[in-house]
């Protein structure tokens, strides 16, 4: 209900200033579905296992430990990103531009996008790619996948690569995809909702 009120409070002129993501959400979800399918097919054909396992050298931690580690890493990444976006000019510019891209998304859609992106990206970059090219290369490729040519979003690639290093280390240490996928989805859900809400508030401000 609150999200409907927020959307209704935006004028057509204000809503037009948002990026394309709210309108292209079905395509984004289809892309993540295809990425997940590619990860499953790749790892299954090459190694004969699913992308959710780190391999025999890293037996999975107990379930509670994996869930706890995922939540802990997600919270740490959220806290770090908030400090950076509140205390540096570069961080504030990046947050403002990302907020414009996701502004207009409701909370249920944010959660859906966060879950889809967290699972699909972790399955591909950590589950399928990292066992083939290694932790560092997979993290750098993850950062490159988030590259955007606009000046305000160039640092997004760097922050994604740094987060990828942490997510990749957790994947290798915990033994499967549960912990990094949970951390990734939590990070996306909290930060996307915060960015969308802040963008809505900025557009309603006189």
């Amino acid at each position: 209900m609150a999200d409907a009120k927020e959307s209704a409070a935006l004028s057509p002129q204000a809503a037009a200033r948002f990026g394309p993501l709210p309108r292209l959400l079905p395509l984004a979800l289809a892309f993540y579905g295809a990425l997940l399918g590619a990860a499953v097919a790749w790892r299954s054909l090459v190694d004969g296992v699913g992308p959710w396992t780190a391999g025999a050298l890293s037996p999975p931690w107990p379930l509670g430990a994996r869930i706890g580690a995922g939540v802990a890493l997600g919270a740490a990444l959220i806290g770090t990103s908030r400090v950076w976006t509140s205390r540096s000019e570069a961080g504030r510019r990046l947050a403002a531009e990302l907020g414009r891209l996701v502004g207009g998304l409701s909370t249920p859609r944010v959660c859906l996008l966060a879950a889809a992106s967290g699972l699909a990206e972790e399955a591909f970059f950590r589950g399928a790619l990292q066992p083939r090219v290694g932790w560092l290369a997979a993290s750098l490729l993850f950062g490159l996948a988030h590259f955007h040519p606009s000046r305000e979003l160039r640092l997004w690639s760097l922050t994604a690569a740094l987060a990828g290093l942490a997510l990749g280390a957790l994947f290798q240490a915990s033994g499967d995809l549960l912990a990094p996928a949970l951390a990734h989805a939590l990070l996306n859900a909290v930060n996307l909702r915060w960015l969308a809400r802040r963008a809505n508030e900025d557009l309603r401000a006189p």
Side-chain angles (χ1 to χ4, degrees), residues 29-166:
L29 295 176
F31 168 78
Y32 286 124
L35 190 65
L36 177 60
V40 172
W42 180 6
R43 191 82 192 277
S44 299
L45 291 173
V46 173
D47 295 329
V49 297
W52 44 84
T53 177
L57 296 179
S58 301
W61 292 349
L63 178 60
R66 283 176 281 155
I67 293 175
V71 171
L73 178 59
L77 292 173
I78 292 166
T80 302
S81 65
R82 293 295 177 85
V83 170
W84 183 57
T85 55
S86 64
R87 298 188 180 182
S88 72
E89 182 59 31
R92 285 190 287 270
R93 288 198 303 268
L94 178 61
E97 186 62 18
L98 288 174
R100 188 190 69 79
L101 292 176
V102 303
L105 283 175
S106 65
T107 297
R109 290 184 175 186
V110 163
C111 292
L112 181 60
L113 181 62
S117 60
L119 177 58
E121 290 183 2
E122 290 308 303
F124 185 83
F125 287 97
R126 253 61 67 182
L129 192 61
Q130 184 167 313
R132 312 311 309 172
V133 303
W135 166 70
L136 180 59
S139 301
L140 294 176
L141 290 170
F142 181 65
L144 286 175
H146 289 78
F147 175 77
H148 195 282
S150 71
R151 182 172 62 88
E152 292 81 3
L153 290 177
R154 285 174 189 166
L155 284 176
W156 190 21
S157 182
L158 175 60
T159 60
L162 294 175
L165 290 172

